Amino acid sequence: EYRKTEILTKALHEYLGTLSRKELSGSESREAACYLHIVDDMKHINDAVYRDFGNVVERQRDQLLKLSEDEKSDLDIYQKHTLELLQKNLTSVEKNDIKFAEEANLLYNKLKRLATKLQDNNISRSLGAGKEKFSVFADIVDALRAISSRVNIFSQSILEHLE
């Protein structure tokens, strides 16, 4: 899957590069530039998913199986919000509607606060139980935070284009 995204990214860059060498109106040039940013943003999101998140999951698979139900639930909530964040951005591009990118920006701020709260809760749970496994939870939250951060950069590209 990662390799397919790399191939698609390169093809889109080549196409948009060819397109940008044609005579375009000012608005067409801005749109082509925006799509180049979007392609780059999507590539970085893909990198965060496969490299950051994928590597954590692969390296710490055994520890993941030992997470408590509360920890799994917290991670599930964060992951669902991260997917919602991405979906809002994709909808914004698809519908050419700034409203969804603005909602995504608000959701990102909520996710930053949620990540801190989850980390604090997990440290309290782990220390209270005399456990030292909060690092795997922290690593996963950090990887999800990296994904949401890349998606937020995507939001900013969309907002700049649609404003």
Side-chain angles (χ1 to χ4, degrees):
E1 292 298 320
Y2 182 80
R3 183 70 185 131
K4 289 178 186 176
T5 304
E6 292 289 315
I7 292 167
L8 182 58
T9 299
K10 183 178 179 184
L12 286 168
H13 264 275
E14 289 173 8
Y15 172 74
L16 290 168
T18 300
L19 185 65
S20 69
R21 288 188 287 278
K22 308 250 185 232
E23 272 192 48
L24 302 174
S25 68
S27 66
E28 290 171 331
S29 292
R30 284 188 298 280
E31 190 170 355
C34 176
Y35 285 124
L36 277 169
H37 285 291
I38 288 171
V39 167
D40 285 342
D41 292 340
M42 294 302 288
K43 180 192 178 302
H44 292 300
I45 292 167
N46 186 60
D47 289 347
V49 169
Y50 281 97
R51 286 192 219 166
D52 297 338
F53 187 76
N55 284 340
V56 169
V57 169
E58 187 62 34
R59 280 190 333 265
Q60 300 187 26
R61 185 175 310 274
D62 293 340
Q63 291 301 315
L64 287 172
L65 298 172
K66 297 176 185 175
L67 291 175
S68 72
E69 290 305 313
D70 286 340
E71 291 166 324
K72 290 175 187 175
S73 177
D74 285 349
L75 292 173
D76 188 51
I77 290 167
Y78 197 93
Q79 182 180 3
K80 284 179 181 175
H81 285 310
T82 301
L83 291 172
E84 179 185 356
L85 178 68
L86 180 58
Q87 187 57 52
K88 284 184 182 297
N89 282 293
L90 294 173
T91 301
S92 187
V93 171
E94 180 183 327
K95 295 186 180 219
N96 202 28
D97 189 340
I98 196 169
K99 174 181 76 170
F100 297 100
E102 290 170 337
E103 290 174 6
N105 199 32
L106 293 172
L107 181 56
Y108 174 69
N109 289 323
K110 179 181 174 181
L111 273 170
K112 287 193 312 186
R113 291 187 303 275
L114 179 61
T116 300
K117 180 182 172 189
L118 294 179
Q119 296 282 32
D120 290 348
N121 289 347
N122 188 63
I123 289 170
S124 294
R125 276 192 304 257
S126 296
L127 293 177
K131 300 177 187 175
E132 293 184 24
K133 69 174 182 179
F134 56 83
S135 66
V136 69
F137 183 91
D139 289 347
I140 292 175
V141 172
D142 285 346
L144 288 169
R145 195 182 329 204
I147 293 168
S148 65
S149 178
R150 294 310 312 183
V151 174
N152 185 57
I153 292 169
F154 181 37
S155 298
Q156 299 311 308
S157 295
I158 294 166
L159 287 169
E160 288 172 15
H161 170 68
L162 294 177
E163 288 182 326

